[in-house]
């Protein structure tokens, strides 16, 4: 299989995909054209500040209550920044390709899918050292937040096929804010675990406060970097 | 290759020299006064004529005072007012030798004592020429008679002071009964003769049970009951002696230190520092303490009044009418003052204060300055406050002031506080020389690791960043205590990095292997919860050692034995006929199993009855010794056979020697592992076979990646086996396997292997992995070349940089509160990693195996 190296020009001139392997994905990179993008860029730092100040009191409650709000912000964000509807997914198996759907259904599908993948993210957290037998609701809600931050935009931006996702894992996919935000979320969550074992005896050192904080900050930074980079590519 | 080998041969010894310089400056012998306290002419009258000093090793406060304790008689002494109980706070390092120094001389301990505690043959720690309450008995007009039974540390500390003695070695931790019977068997005759002034008894059973089975071991209640009966016997003697010849006897029962929740000690946690202390005599009833016993169990182990352990020293000296020892920083216990009149109380405390003031004057030059503004000084810093108080005490009408006793105590407590904080005098120039030398050499090593090894940008970047973060983390005390998190965290990061690399070359197999490795890692990190913050929280090891999981534990142990059997059968005895191969590989495994089984039975662990039934029941120290020897012998025979069969083999198989040697080594490592840790080897084996498979995929793996993985798994396995950077987790329970007497070298080697079993496993596994990689990648480089250029350079650079960082942390933070509790133990561990793991195992043994396997 040939290595796919997408240039921004290729993305900017969409052509109907003949087969999934020939043109495996079609990221929508209409950033940061409208005002809503920049307001979305602002939304997450604000959510981060609010969440991190409230979290230590009762992480499970705050994470639970804020989940719909975060989902809404993300959905609005995606709806307005993915104006050109593209086929989301080649659904599993050899079924014939579905018709192009509008952005709304793409977003809803992405939201449902990312929520369904939450247990999988929970498993990944455990593999990376999250508590197994205790704080299960907290870890699960953390996974749900991570799914919304990292998976949801990617599911709405990239098609669901092996090659695309291999490239995403291999850090070879073209830069989009959705992708850099996901990478930022992962790196932030990973770095967020650092202060937990320290003996500072602060209330926010409980699981998973710092990880949530790291994920949100990483997400915002990643989004910013992605917006700048993909904007630059567009100008080239 | 040769220049690389020469450079490491040049760097390693020179770095050790640098380390030596640093250690000489960092661990000086604390300056102590030699000579003895002046005989006071006007001392308050003695209350007691004789002292029985009964030390029960690791007697934690709750063992005596809590309602869960089985020491009923001792508790009845407290409630009847015949005994005064305390919790005595022991200063770290909480190991026996420094603690005995503390309770005899009253001085704060020297960190080096913790090391000397293990190096038992050392005689430099003797207290000849130093004052102690024991020597004060000898300095009486009619020298007192001293007898000692128990831990031979006393004999080492006080050579030629005891009129009669019987020492017991304290390192056969698997022996619970013999050590104590050795003490008790003297009691009948000694109590009959009764010609001594001081009798010291040091019981070791409680400590040994703690090391083996923790504070809640099934053996503990019976052992404490035995101790209780001895207290009863001694107390009855004191009562009788009082009635018959009018001689009053003071019985002191104390622990030299406590133990933590898993039964170890050496560190500074609440359980380790809380030792029980009890003064008992029929005379105490007239003081009317009105205390009740037992008390409800508390989490912080603080029962009754909490005093410093060194306070025992002036208290005994005062009660028997001896002068206070020269180096004492203990404060006379207030509750005991009530034996005297008010004027005598002041007299006694004044002597205590004068004695402490001599140390203050020696330590702080400002103490000698004349006081002009006493009131102003009292508002100043601690030293000023001490000077102000001392000035008040020196005033002519001090005794008539409102509360002289209170002022004296204020002075004594503050002085004690200041003096115990004062760090020893470092030899800064020696430390700087060592630091500079190691700085130069380690930067050389680090540069070589990055620029002279084979090409692999990603691994080098991860290595450089990781090593830098690690070096920085050492400067944080809690990051040292919780070092395991760093390794679990970087292990997952490194696996993730490799996962991304495997996605880049589209290797699904490699991806799956890395995910599986991540899974194994997540089990490993919950095997033992080590460190400080979460130590003792529920983990897999606790589950496996609980009664309900005994069956599972032994199934897993059997499984590991089966794997060893299979590996020996296939890789060591492959060339001989099937029957012989079966017998030859079965024998070492079954002797290992029966040894581990007897050890578990001896330690009182729960063993499934089916397995216990098939193991011969005649346990005992001799039996255990023989089984260990059988295991070692079978390992040696396997090794000899394997070497010969490789030499004579007609088939040319370059892996044969190294692979077989690896599996025989695993057998040895399992012998040196406690039963609850044997299942970890299943996880190690999983990591090994997954890594070997990964090494076969040369697109994902490079030699440097193999080395970095080895480095990370070494550390991960070290911490996963329950080790930490605290001296408390040094496991000596396997250090005497097959050794009948203490001798430094075999015991040292066995102790090292039992604590570093994981790192040794991964050194050997990594070496093998390099040969697998060489074959699969069809590289033109020889295995020796890969080993010396890549493996040794990277491993050596990491250890050199971490040594530099630890030395730097000890230098910069030398006045830090935790310098003796966190950073010094870390320095000792780093020396262990640097010299033994990196120097002896990685470099010498690794090189030996690689070269020999090439020659054969």
């Amino acid at each position: 299989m040939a290595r796919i190296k997408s240039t921004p020009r290729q993305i900017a001139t969409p052509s109907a995909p003949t087969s999934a392997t020939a043109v495996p994905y079609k990221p929508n990179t209409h950033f940061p054209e409208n005002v809503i993008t920049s307001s979305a860029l602002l939304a997450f730092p604000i959510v981060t500040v609010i969440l991190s100040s409230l979290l230590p009191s009762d992480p499970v409650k705050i994470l639970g209550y804020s989940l719909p709000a975060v989902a809404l912000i993300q959905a609005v964000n995606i709806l307005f920044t993915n104006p050109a509807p593209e086929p989301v997914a080649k659904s599993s198996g050899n079924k014939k390709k579905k018709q192009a759907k509008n952005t709304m259904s793409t977003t809803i599908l992405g939201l449902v899918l990312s929520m369904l993948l939450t247990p999988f993210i929970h498993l990944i957290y455990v593999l990376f050292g999250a508590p197994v037998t205790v704080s299960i609701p907290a870890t699960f809600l953390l996974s749900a937040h991570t799914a919304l931050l990292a998976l949801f935009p990617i599911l709405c931006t990239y098609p669901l096929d092996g090659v695309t996702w291999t490239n995403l894992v291999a850090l070879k996919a073209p830069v989009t804010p959705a992708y850099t935000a996901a990478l930022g979320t992962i790196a932030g969550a990973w770095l967020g675990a650092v202060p937990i074992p320290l003996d500072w005896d602060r209330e926010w050192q409980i699981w998973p406060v710092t990880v949530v904080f790291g994920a949100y900050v990483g997400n915002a930074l990643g989004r910013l970097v992605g917006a700048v980079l993909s904007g630059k590519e567009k100008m080239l | 290759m040769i220049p690389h080998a020469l450079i490491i041969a040049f760097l390693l010894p020179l770095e050790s020299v640098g380390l030596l310089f640093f250690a000489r400056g960092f661990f000086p012998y604390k300056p102590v006064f030699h000579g003895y306290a002046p005989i006071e002419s006007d001392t308050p009258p003695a209350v007691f004529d004789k002292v029985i000093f009964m030390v029960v090793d690791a007697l934690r406060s709750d063992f005596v005072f809590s309602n869960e304790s089985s020491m009923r008689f001792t508790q009845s002494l407290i409630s009847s007012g015949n005994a005064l109980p305390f919790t005595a706070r022991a200063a770290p390092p909480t190991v026996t030798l420094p603690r005995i120094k503390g309770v005899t001389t009253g001085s704060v301990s020297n960190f080096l004592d913790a090391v000397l505690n293990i190096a038992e043959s050392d005689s430099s720690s003797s207290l000849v020429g130093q004052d102690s309450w024991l020597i004060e008995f000898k300095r009486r007009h009619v020298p007192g008679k001293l007898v000692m039974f128990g831990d031979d540390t006393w004999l080492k500390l006080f050579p030629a002071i005891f009129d009669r003695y019987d020492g017991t070695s304290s390192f056969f931790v698997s022996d619970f009964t013999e050590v104590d019977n050795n003490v008790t068997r003297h009691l009948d005759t000694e109590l009959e003769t009764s010609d001594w002034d001081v009798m010291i008894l040091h019981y070791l059973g409680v400590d040994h049970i703690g090391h083996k089975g923790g504070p809640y071991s099934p053996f503990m209640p019976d052992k404490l009951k035995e101790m209780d009966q001895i207290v009863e016997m001694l107390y009855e003697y004191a009562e009788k002696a009082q009635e018959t010849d009018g001689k009053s006897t003071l019985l002191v029962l104390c622990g030299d230190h406590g133990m933590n929740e898993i039964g170890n000690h050496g560190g500074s946690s609440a359980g380790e520092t809380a030792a029980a202390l009890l003064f008992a005599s029929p005379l105490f009833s007239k003081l009317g303490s009105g205390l009740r016993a037992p008390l409800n169990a508390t989490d912080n182990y603080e029962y009754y009044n909490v005093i410093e352990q060194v306070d025992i020293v002036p208290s005994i000296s005062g009660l028997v009418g001896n002068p206070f020892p020269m180096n004492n920083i203990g404060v006379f216990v207030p509750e005991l003052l009530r034996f005297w009149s008010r004027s005598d109380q002041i007299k006694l405390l004044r002597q205590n204060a004068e004695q402490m003031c001599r140390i203050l004057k020696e330590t702080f030059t400002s103490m000698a300055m004349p006081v002009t503004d006493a009131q102003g000084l009292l508002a100043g810093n601690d030293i000023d406050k001490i000077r102000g108080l001392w000035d008040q005490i020196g005033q002519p009408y001090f005794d008539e002031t409102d509360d002289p006793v209170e002022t004296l105590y204020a002075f004594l407590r503050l002085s004690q506080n200041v003096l115990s904080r004062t760090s020893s005098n470092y030899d800064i120039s020696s430390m700087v020389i060592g630091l500079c030398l190691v700085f130069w050499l380690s930067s050389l090593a680090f540069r070589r690791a990055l620029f002279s090894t084979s090409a692999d940008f990603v691994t080098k970047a991860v290595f450089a960043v990781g090593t830098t973060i690690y070096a920085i983390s050492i400067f944080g005390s809690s990051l040292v205590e919780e070092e395991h998190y760093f390794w679990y965290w970087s292990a997952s990061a490194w696996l993730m990095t490799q996962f991304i690399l495997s996605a880049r070359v589209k290797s699904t197999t490699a991806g799956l292997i890395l995910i599986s490795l991540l899974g194994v890692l997540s089990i490993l990190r919950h095997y033992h919860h080590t460190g400080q913050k979460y130590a003792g929280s529920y983990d897999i090891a606790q589950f496996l050692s609980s009664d309900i999981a005994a069956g599972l534990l032994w199934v897993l142990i059997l499984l590991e034995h089966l794997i060893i059997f299979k590996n020996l059968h296939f890789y060591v005895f492959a060339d001989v006929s099937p029957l012989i191969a079966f017998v030859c590989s079965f024998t070492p495994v079954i002797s290992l199993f029966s040894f581990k089984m007897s050890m578990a039975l001896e330690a009182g662990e729960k063993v499934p009855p089916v397995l216990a039934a098939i193991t011969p029941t005649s346990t005992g120290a001799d039996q255990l010794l023989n089984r260990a020897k059988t295991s070692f012998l079978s390992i040696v025979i396997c090794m000899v056979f394997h070497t010969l069969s490789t030499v004579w083999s007609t088939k040319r198989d370059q892996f044969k020697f190294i692979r077989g040697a690896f599996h025989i080594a695993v057998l040895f490592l399992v012998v040196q592992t406690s039963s609850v840790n044997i299942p970890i080897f299943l996880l190690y084996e999983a990591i090994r076979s997954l890594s070997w498979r990964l090494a076969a995929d040369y697109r994902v793996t490079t030699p440097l990646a193999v080395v970095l993985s080895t480095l990370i798994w070494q550390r991960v396995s070290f911490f996963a086996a329950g080790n930490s950077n605290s001296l408390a987790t040094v496991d000596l329970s396997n250090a005497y396997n097959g050794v009948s007497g203490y001798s430094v070298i075999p015991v040292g080697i066995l102790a090292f292997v039992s604590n570093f079993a994981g790192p040794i496993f991964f050194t050997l596994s990594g070496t093998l992995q390099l040969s697998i990689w060489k074959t699969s990648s069809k590289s033109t480089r020889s295995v020796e070349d890969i080993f010396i250029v890549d493996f040794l350079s990277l491993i050596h650079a990491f250890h050199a940089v971490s040594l530099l960082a630890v030395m730097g942390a000890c230098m910069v933070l030398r006045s830090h509160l935790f310098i003796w509790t966190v950073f010094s133990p870390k320095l000792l561990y780093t020396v262990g990693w640097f010299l033994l793991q990196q120097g002896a195992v990685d470099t010498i043994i690794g090189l030996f195996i690689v070269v020999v396997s090439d020659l054969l």
Side-chain angles (χ1 to χ4, degrees), chain B residues 275-353:
Chain B
L277 171 64
L278 187 92
F279 294 94
S281 159
L283 292 184
F284 282 107
S285 56
K286 65 181 177 192
L287 298 181
S289 67
L291 295 168
R292 66 185 182 83
L295 300 183
N296 290 332
T298 64
D299 284 343
N300 57 8
Y301 307 104
E302 290 182 0
Y303 296 85
Y304 306 105
N305 285 342
V306 180
I307 61 170
E308 295 301 322
Q309 200 183 33
V310 284
D311 295 349
I312 296 174
V313 174
S315 305
I316 293 180
S317 294
L319 288 172
V320 299
N322 283 345
F324 300 119
M326 281 284 268
N327 293 304
N328 162 54
I329 62 159
V331 177
F332 194 90
V333 176
E335 284 83 349
L336 297 171
L337 270 184
R338 282 177 285 169
F339 279 115
W340 289 282
S341 67
R342 194 181 139 87
S343 64
D344 277 345
Q345 289 181 0
I346 297 172
K347 213 184 283 173
L348 195 76
L349 289 181
R350 195 192 279 277
Q351 280 171 16
N352 197 174

Side-chain angles (χ1 to χ4, degrees), chain B residues 435-699:
Chain B
L435 202 61
C436 289
L437 196 59
V438 173
F439 175 75
W440 173 55
L441 297 165
S442 63
S443 55
L444 212 69
F446 195 61
R447 217 175 52 218
R448 288 194 63 82
L450 292 185
F451 299 112
S452 309
T453 45
S454 63
D456 176 2
F457 175 74
V458 177
T459 307
K460 281 179 182 175
V462 174
F463 173 77
V465 171
T467 308
T468 313
I469 298 176
Y470 179 69
I472 294 168
S473 81
I474 286 170
F475 287 78
S477 63
S478 51
L479 288 169
V480 172
E481 284 173 336
E482 313 290 335
E483 192 187 318
H484 51 291
Y485 283 112
F486 174 85
W487 291 104
Y488 299 155
W489 187 75
S490 32
S492 54
W494 173 234
L495 290 173
M496 200 59 215
T497 312
Q498 287 181 297
F499 185 74
I500 293 171
L501 292 177
S502 74
R504 287 183 96 91
V505 297
K506 300 205 166 48
S507 168
T508 320
T509 330
L512 288 175
I513 288 174
L514 289 159
I515 300 281
S516 317
L517 282 173
L518 212 51
V520 178
L521 173 69
S522 64
I523 304 175
L524 271 180
R525 70 204 299 164
H526 292 294
Y527 205 93
H528 276 285
H529 289 163
T530 177
Q532 278 285 315
K533 205 172 173 184
Y534 299 106
S537 63
Y538 202 70
D539 52 30
I540 298 174
Q542 274 182 40
F543 168 70
L544 285 178
S545 46
S546 65
D547 285 355
I548 48 160
L552 177 64
L553 174 67
W554 283 91
V555 166
L556 294 174
I557 291 176
L558 269 177
L559 199 61
E560 173 57 26
H561 281 78
L562 219 60
I563 289 178
I564 295 175
F565 168 72
K566 187 212 89 181
N567 287 334
L568 290 181
H569 195 274
F570 282 113
Y571 299 115
V572 180
F573 300 104
D575 297 342
V576 294
S577 75
L579 184 68
I580 298 174
F582 180 84
V583 173
C584 287
S585 29
F586 192 70
T587 315
V589 173
I590 197 70
S591 62
L592 164 68
F593 185 74
S594 81
F595 171 57
K596 286 288 135 187
M597 174 63 74
S598 327
M599 231 178 146
L601 287 171
E602 188 81 350
E605 291 167 24
K606 185 146 163 60
V607 172
V610 186
L611 292 176
I614 59 163
T615 314
T617 43
S618 60
T619 52
D622 286 348
Q623 192 71 15
L624 216 53
L625 200 68
N626 287 336
R627 287 190 186 177
K629 281 180 179 164
T630 316
S631 282
F632 289 148
L633 188 69
S634 66
I635 290 169
V636 171
I637 292 171
C638 279
M639 200 62 218
V640 170
F641 173 86
H642 180 58
T643 314
L644 293 179
S645 81
T646 315
V647 172
W648 289 328
S649 174
T650 45
K651 279 177 287 180
R652 187 85 183 123
D653 177 3
Q654 50 182 330
F655 285 158
K656 185 173 164 41
F657 178 75
I658 191 167
R659 206 185 274 257
F662 171 73
H663 292 301
I664 297 171
V666 172
L667 185 66
F668 177 52
L669 295 178
V670 174
V671 175
Q672 287 308 102
T673 301
S674 55
S675 52
V676 72
N677 272 359
I678 293 178
I680 300 192
F681 276 84
L682 293 171
L683 299 170
Y684 294 171
E685 297 277 2
I687 296 170
R688 170 191 66 79
S689 67
L690 287 167
S691 309
W692 286 6
R693 239 170 250 203
L694 195 66
D697 191 343
Y698 62 91
R699 293 173 305 159

Side-chain angles (χ1 to χ4, degrees), chain B residues 157 166 186 265 287 314 333 384 483 658 777 824:
Chain B
L157 285 174
D166 183 11
H186 295 281
H265 57 87
L287 298 181
V333 176
D384 285 347
E483 192 187 318
I658 191 167
S777 69
S824 305

Side-chain angles (χ1 to χ4, degrees), chain B residues 715-732:
Chain B
R715 296 279 169 155
V716 166
S717 62
F718 178 76
F719 290 109
N723 290 304
S724 73
N725 283 327
S726 155
L727 292 181
T729 51
V730 177
D731 179 13
L732 292 175

Side-chain angles (χ1 to χ4, degrees), chain B residues 46-106:
Chain B
V47 181
F48 293 100
D49 305 308
K50 311 172 91 166
V51 178
I52 301 176
F53 194 70
M54 175 176 171
V55 180
V56 177
D57 214 286
L59 189 70
R60 199 168 69 184
S61 52
D62 62 326
F63 291 174
V64 189
F65 306 136
S66 99
N67 50 9
E68 285 156 20
S69 155
S70 53
M71 297 184 75
R72 295 285 166 230
F73 176 79
T74 313
Q75 290 173 349
S76 76
L77 283 180
I78 300 169
S79 45
S80 65
N82 290 317
L84 280 176
F86 299 94
T87 299
R89 208 182 295 125
T94 46
V95 286
T96 300
L97 188 142
R99 291 336 318 135
I100 294 181
K101 271 192 178 180
V103 298
T104 52
T105 64

